Amino acid sequence: MSGIQRLLPLFHRRWAASVLVHLAHPDTARTGRARVSAIASMFGANREAVRQSVRALESVQAVERNPGHGHPLRPELRLTERGQRLAPHFKALHDLLTELGHRDLGLRKWPMPALYAVGAGPTRFGAISDQLPKVTDRALSQALRRLREAELIDRTMNEDQPPRPVYQSIGRGLDVVTVLNDLVQTVD
């Protein structure tokens, strides 16, 4: 399985990364904020969106219901062993994106996988699209535009005939790619 294929399920749902970071915080279990409703309230998010993110994390065995805690309809959540390995990398990504003023990029479906695809070196649009199954051209264009606006990648024209745009990680984008590479190495 390629790095992109390991990364995609972790960014498929908007709140998945935030849920992992939240559940890894030492105060979460002690304060009882490990339930979907509490997490949704804290993030200012829709409960169903958080619930879908939790289901996605359950499907990749990063989160599980804490047996014996909470009501069956309002279960308490906890990280699995796999989730405990992933959480520090998501925290590092969250902290770095927050420091850069672009935390929202980590909450969207395509920017981080697209940045990971570009991180290997100068890459054309078609090559990025080939690495990201099911991405539409519009969604990929928007993700690349957001990454350019955040100054994490650069778009230049190559010297082929006809000239074609080439994307490459720059500046702090290289730091984000390093965190993503660490995350991919952690995913079994």
Side-chain angles (χ1 to χ4, degrees):
M1 182 183 292
S2 75
I4 289 277
Q5 291 171 334
R6 288 186 251 164
L7 204 58
L8 285 173
L10 299 172
F11 287 95
H12 185 71
R13 294 291 176 185
R14 179 172 178 87
W15 298 107
S18 297
V19 168
L20 275 175
V21 171
H22 175 71
L23 291 177
H25 194 277
D27 291 339
T28 298
R30 189 173 47 79
T31 59
R33 294 187 186 150
R35 291 186 171 87
V36 168
S37 60
I39 294 169
S41 176
M42 183 174 27
F43 295 160
N46 177 295
R47 281 187 192 163
E48 185 56 30
V50 173
R51 200 172 285 118
Q52 289 173 359
S53 297
V54 167
R55 281 190 212 118
L57 290 169
E58 286 175 328
S59 73
V60 295
Q61 290 121 18
V63 170
E64 66 185 1
R65 294 168 185 237
N66 192 354
H69 294 276
H71 186 278
L73 297 177
R74 295 181 306 280
E76 186 176 288
L77 305 168
R78 69 178 182 187
L79 294 175
T80 62
E81 188 176 312
R82 184 180 199 200
Q84 290 171 0
R85 288 192 315 269
L86 294 172
H89 300 289
F90 276 101
K91 172 99 171 86
L93 180 64
H94 176 272
D95 292 348
L96 181 56
L97 291 173
T98 300
E99 176 188 329
L100 297 173
H102 297 290
R103 185 177 79 86
D104 191 50
L105 287 176
L107 298 176
R108 297 182 178 275
K109 185 175 183 175
W110 296 112
M112 292 300 103
L115 181 58
Y116 180 80
V118 170
T123 312
R124 291 188 22 222
F125 185 91
I128 300 167
S129 180
D130 290 344
Q131 292 183 57
L132 300 173
K134 300 183 183 178
V135 67
T136 63
D137 286 348
R138 182 174 188 265
L140 182 55
S141 293
Q142 289 176 344
L144 293 171
R145 181 182 47 79
R146 286 185 177 105
L147 291 168
R148 285 181 54 217
E149 289 170 355
E151 298 178 359
L152 300 177
I153 65 171
D154 190 29
R155 178 180 184 254
T156 57
M157 299 302 278
N158 66 13
E159 300 193 15
D160 292 343
Q161 286 300 328
R164 294 189 175 112
V166 177
Y167 298 89
Q168 185 169 343
S169 302
I170 58 168
R172 297 301 301 267
L174 297 169
D175 297 337
V176 178
V177 170
T178 300
V179 173
L180 292 172
N181 282 327
D182 293 343
L183 177 61
V184 166
Q185 297 304 317
T186 305
V187 180
D188 345 300

